Structure formats: C-alpha cells, structure tokens
Amino acid sequence: ASDSWPSAVRESAVVSDLTPLRRLGFEPSEVDLRDYVDRADELAATLAEFPVVWVRGGNTFVLRAQFARSGADRVLRERLAEDSLVYAGYSAGACLMTPSLRGVELADDPDEVLPTCGIEPVWDGLGMVDRAIVPHWNSATDIDDASRAIVDGYLADGTPHWALTDHEVIVVDGDSVERP
C-alpha cells in the first residue's frame, strides 16, 4: 500500500507497524508482494507459514494492484474460504475487503498505480464483506475530510457502507458479520 511512497517513508511505515506488533508478543515478518509478481504459487507457500496476515494502510489502489500482480487476491480468498487464515487490516487493508473501490478515489489517487505497479488500477475489491468501508471517520485529520466526502457520495447514491473510526472494527466469522 505504500509502494508509491519514497523508500525511506515506506520503510518507516513498515517499522511503525512491526514494532507495536512485536510489543504485543507477535513475531511479524514482512511479506513484500513485489517479490511475488506472477508467482502466486510461491506466495501461497510463503503465506501457508502464517495463521494471520496484517495488511497495512496506504494507497488502496496500489495495494489492490499489488494483490492482483502477485495473486494475493486469489490466495487470500482461498485461505479465507478454507478458514485457515485470519485477515486483519486497517485503512487500505480494510478497504480491499469490500465489493468495489469506487469512492475511495476521493482519498487515494488511482493515478499512482500505473507508474508504481505497471498496470491500470483495479476497481473491484475482494468482496469479502457486502458493503464499502470508509476508514478514518471522525479522525480530526485531513484524511477525515476525504472520509466525509466518500460517505456523502455513498449516501447520495445509496451505497451501503460502514464509516469506521480508527478504533472500530468489522469482524467476519463465517456468515457472521459484526461491528462490535
């Protein structure tokens, strides 16, 4: 999700995810999807070692393109259908779980995809939940302005969605979908 950022910023963002996970007792490892372009079987073998994936935020369209290029979209759907993996993510990582990425362009620039990934933006999500997710609701940042614009658009066109603060989650377990 952060591949379009300067490398030092991307590296710092990865560390900012790994450090708190380590403090919580997890043993995280970065799986860089750029290393698996057109190698979905190898990615599947790598991910088979992990019971949980944590998918970070950044540009949703760049992340979706990297999922498509590496086959992570297929591999993760299969693992989730088998109930052999827990998927957790925030911001872009959560937005990927939706049916469509329409509306997200108000927060993330789809024009970053082609120069970063070499393919056109992919506008469909993974469809693991039945509605759009709008992260950073009421976050008191510039991102919140984009979240409000997205929600306004969804309300105007009747798109079902969840607007989530940075402290809220959606939990999917089989057919059960909860917003605790």
Side-chain angles (χ1 to χ4, degrees), residues 75-92:
V75 170
L76 291 174
R77 278 186 187 121
E78 289 171 2
R79 292 278 312 275
L80 291 168
E82 296 166 356
D83 200 23
S84 65
L85 179 78
V86 172
Y87 179 103
Y90 69 94
S91 195

Side-chain angles (χ1 to χ4, degrees), residues 107-120:
D108 294 337
D109 187 356
D111 290 336
E112 291 181 4
V113 174
L114 188 58
T116 302
C117 305
I119 65 171
E120 293 295 326

Side-chain angles (χ1 to χ4, degrees), residues 4 18 22 24-26 36 90 94-95 98 123-125 137 168 172:
S4 61
L18 297 179
R22 286 188 182 111
L24 290 169
F26 295 98
Y36 294 93
Y90 69 94
C95 290
T98 67
W123 288 85
D124 63 313
W137 184 249
E168 292 180 299
V172 178

Side-chain angles (χ1 to χ4, degrees), residues 70-157:
S70 66
D73 47 5
R74 179 185 58 82
V75 170
L76 291 174
R77 278 186 187 121
E78 289 171 2
R79 292 278 312 275
L80 291 168
E82 296 166 356
D83 200 23
S84 65
L85 179 78
V86 172
Y87 179 103
Y90 69 94
S91 195
C95 290
L96 282 192
M97 295 285 96
T98 67
S100 171
L101 302 184
R102 297 284 172 195
V104 177
E105 71 275 11
L106 297 172
D108 294 337
D109 187 356
D111 290 336
E112 291 181 4
V113 174
L114 188 58
T116 302
C117 305
I119 65 171
E120 293 295 326
V122 178
W123 288 85
D124 63 313
L126 300 185
M128 302 307 295
V129 296
D130 68 351
R131 64 192 62 212
I133 293 174
V134 183
H136 310 299
W137 184 249
N138 287 332
S139 64
T141 67
D142 291 341
I143 294 171
D144 187 45
D145 293 338
S147 297
R148 289 181 188 286
I150 294 168
V151 166
D152 288 347
Y154 288 160
L155 290 171
D157 69 15

